[in-house]
């Protein structure tokens, strides 16, 4: 894994040389024959810029830790889960009571439940639990549109007409409209959801804007802030809302190990919230017993791998910068954002463009999934993957 990553990151001079002498179609053909174009975790020749996955693959330390942990996978990982919890709490400055002894499972569970953290199979499990816990008695879920929509869609699919989704359009700058979302809240509103940065547009709210929204909500209304992509944000004032989750009774912030940590396939996420919110969610989560031995070890090692996390962020930010600069050359209008992907307006329907790229095994997301066929979402990749994308965009259909 490390060799493939190094080859991809150090091959920039080769790509520059090819770009200088080869027309786009030939360039694409040549790039396709080079092994380093193969993305980590996908078949050779495939450039998957579709699901906002981390193109680096996991931290080498995480892979080593996960492999070594498998020797003990016949045992439940309670003690190692608590060690991971210590790392999460240290990251966010959260207090955590010591269980005294890792051998005392009862004390481990008590200390875990007293912490501000909930675990899930990705943040998706936690968001689905929110849908159930706050939707069983009916009510409204306020979300941005287009947006991730995980809470509202889960509530509606599981609970049907008992719940109503209230979709609030984004601003003309493709950002959450905080004023409109606050204005959409009624006595029947159960949950207001912010995805920060937003998916699919990549735009982000400042912490001050999120705080203003939180200030306007009734304490009985839950504010969910999904921070799957916050580690990639660079805009001034855009920062985590973990402080709100730790200090207010009605704010829940979710994080995932799928993105900056590159562990999407192992499934681990977490949330920080007040004790009343955690108690309301517990019946719908396996929590400490719902995570597996390998992902616990991998996540703890990844948290400690500062070098990997820095490179993971750098690769995404560099590719995002490149997308924003180069997509206009191909008739696309990208939206400036803070995520490891770029939302871009196309000329007409995106279908022909998505299909053209797919024929060359370059996979991006068409806007149809958000009922916006005039847009595409392109994830960030390694330099060779970005080169392949641009070469294919420039090639004749």
């Amino acid at each position: 894994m490390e060799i493939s990553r190094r080859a991809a990151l150090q091959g920039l001079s080769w790509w520059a040389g090819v770009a200088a002498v080869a027309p786009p179609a030939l360039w694409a053909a040549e790039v396709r024959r080079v092994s380093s174009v193969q993305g980590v975790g996908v078949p050779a020749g495939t450039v998957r810029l579709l699901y906002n996955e981390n193109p680096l693959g996991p931290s080498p330390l995480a892979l080593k830790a996960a492999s070594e942990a498998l020797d003990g996978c016949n045992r439940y990982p309670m003690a190692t889960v608590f060690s991971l919890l210590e790392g999460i709490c240290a990251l966010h400055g959260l207090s955590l009571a010591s269980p005294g002894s890792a051998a005392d499972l009862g004390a481990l569970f008590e200390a875990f439940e007293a912490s501000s953290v909930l675990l899930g199979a990705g943040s998706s499990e936690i968001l689905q639990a929110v849908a159930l816990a706050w939707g069983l008695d009916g009510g409204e879920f306020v979300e941005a549109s287009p947006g991730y929509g995980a809470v509202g869609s889960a509530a509606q699919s599981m609970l049907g007409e008992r719940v109503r989704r209230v979709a609030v359009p984004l601003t003309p700058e493709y950002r959450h409209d905080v004023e409109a979302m606050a204005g959409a809240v009624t006595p029947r509103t159960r949950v207001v959801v912010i995805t920060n940065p937003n998916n699919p547009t990549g735009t982000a709210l400042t912490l001050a804007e999120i705080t203003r929204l939180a200030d306007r909500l009734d304490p009985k209304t839950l504010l969910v802030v999904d921070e799957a992509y916050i580690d990639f944000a660079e805009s001034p004032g855009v920062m985590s809302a973990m402080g709100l989750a730790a200090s207010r009774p009605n704010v829940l912030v979710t994080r995932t190990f799928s993105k900056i940590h590159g562990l999407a396939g192992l499934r681990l996420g977490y949330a920080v919230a007040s004790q009343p919110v955690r108690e309301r969610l517990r019946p719908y989560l396996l929590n400490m017993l719902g995570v597996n031995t390998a992902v616990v070890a991998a996540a703890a090692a990844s948290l400690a791998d500062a070098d990997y996390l820095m490179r993971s962020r750098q690769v995404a930010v560099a590719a995002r910068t490149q997308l924003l600069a180069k997509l206009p050359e191909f008739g696309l209008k990208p939206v400036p954002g803070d995520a490891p992907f770029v939302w871009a307006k196309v000329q007409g329907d995106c279908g022909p463009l998505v299909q053209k790229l797919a024929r060359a095994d370059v996979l991006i997301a068409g806007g149809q999934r958000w009922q916006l066929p005039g847009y595409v979402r392109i994830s960030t990749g390694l330099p060779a993957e970005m080169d392949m994308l641009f070469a294919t965009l420039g090639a004749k259909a």
Side-chain angles (χ1 to χ4, degrees):
M1 193 71 69
E2 182 63 21
I3 293 174
S4 296
R5 184 180 302 118
R6 189 181 301 116
L9 292 175
Q10 293 181 349
L12 294 175
S13 61
W14 190 92
W15 303 122
V18 173
V21 300
L26 176 58
W27 185 15
E30 288 300 320
V31 170
R32 286 287 299 272
R33 287 200 287 268
V34 178
S35 62
S36 59
V37 175
Q38 178 181 356
V40 178
V42 295
T46 296
V47 176
R48 194 159 87 175
L49 309 174
L50 182 60
Y51 298 124
N52 304 335
E53 297 156 321
N54 189 321
L56 280 177
S59 155
L61 298 183
L63 291 176
K64 183 175 183 290
S67 177
E68 292 174 349
L70 292 178
D71 288 340
C73 66
N74 58 313
R75 307 294 182 182
Y76 294 110
M78 273 80 79
T80 54
V81 170
F82 195 82
S83 295
L84 170 62
L85 181 64
E86 290 178 320
I88 292 172
C89 289
L91 175 67
H92 299 297
L94 303 171
S95 61
L96 180 65
S98 171
S101 171
D104 186 342
L105 296 185
L108 279 174
F109 273 105
E110 288 180 8
F112 187 93
E113 292 193 354
S115 78
S116 302
V117 179
L118 293 168
L119 297 179
S123 54
S124 300
E125 183 190 4
I126 299 169
L127 296 175
Q128 182 168 292
V130 168
L132 277 172
W134 271 262
L136 280 172
D137 295 330
E140 298 173 347
F141 288 71
V142 175
E143 297 170 311
S145 178
Y148 188 46
V151 180
S153 62
Q156 199 159 64
S157 65
M158 292 186 291
L159 304 171
E161 295 181 357
R162 252 186 287 186
V163 299
R164 175 173 173 262
R165 299 180 69 182
V166 179
V168 179
L170 300 178
T171 69
E173 295 76 35
Y174 302 91
R175 302 173 74 244
H176 283 67
D177 191 330
V178 172
E179 290 301 314
M181 294 184 81
V185 173
T186 74
R188 284 183 48 79
T189 301
R190 302 292 177 260
V191 179
V192 176
V193 182
I194 297 291
T195 304
N196 202 48
N198 187 41
N199 183 7
T201 62
T203 52
L205 294 178
T206 65
L207 179 58
E209 290 172 314
I210 295 174
T211 302
R212 285 201 298 271
L213 177 59
D215 288 342
R216 294 181 61 176
L217 297 181
D218 186 284
K220 295 180 180 179
T221 302
L222 180 68
L223 175 62
V224 175
V225 184
D226 179 357
E227 293 186 344
Y229 304 107
I230 195 71
D231 297 288
F232 304 97
E234 289 194 312
S235 295
V238 176
M239 58 189 73
S240 177
M242 281 292 180
L244 294 179
S247 62
R248 301 202 181 198
N250 64 329
V251 177
L252 177 140
V253 173
T254 61
R255 290 287 190 95
T256 181
F257 282 87
S258 296
K259 306 304 179 182
I260 190 74
H261 294 278
L263 297 173
L266 287 183
R267 312 305 303 134
L268 181 64
Y270 62 94
V272 171
S274 66
Q275 189 269 340
V277 170
R278 299 196 311 274
E279 289 304 313
R280 189 165 177 176
L281 284 172
R282 284 193 201 282
Y284 307 99
L285 293 168
L286 286 171
N287 211 357
M288 195 173 188
L289 291 175
V291 295
N292 69 75
T293 298
V295 77
V296 170
S302 189
L303 277 176
D305 192 348
D307 178 66
Y308 165 80
L309 295 174
M310 179 183 67
R311 286 187 289 120
S312 183
R313 174 184 167 88
Q314 287 174 339
V315 166
V317 170
R320 181 176 71 207
T321 301
Q322 194 177 21
L323 284 166
L324 292 173
K326 290 187 69 66
L327 287 179
E329 298 177 14
F330 306 100
L332 284 73
K333 295 182 180 179
V335 175
D338 283 279
F341 54 83
V342 168
W343 181 245
K345 185 174 179 58
V346 303
Q347 297 175 358
D349 191 287
C350 71
L353 174 63
V354 173
Q355 293 163 14
K356 169 190 172 180
L357 293 174
R359 286 193 293 270
D361 287 334
V362 178
L363 309 178
I364 67 171
Q368 295 95 335
R369 69 172 65 179
W370 298 277
Q371 290 76 52
L372 290 168
Y375 293 83
V376 293
R377 188 193 67 193
I378 305 175
S379 305
T380 55
L382 294 172
E385 294 175 305
M386 292 291 96
D387 287 342
M388 184 62 203
L389 167 71
F390 298 129
T392 309
L393 282 170
K396 293 183 179 179

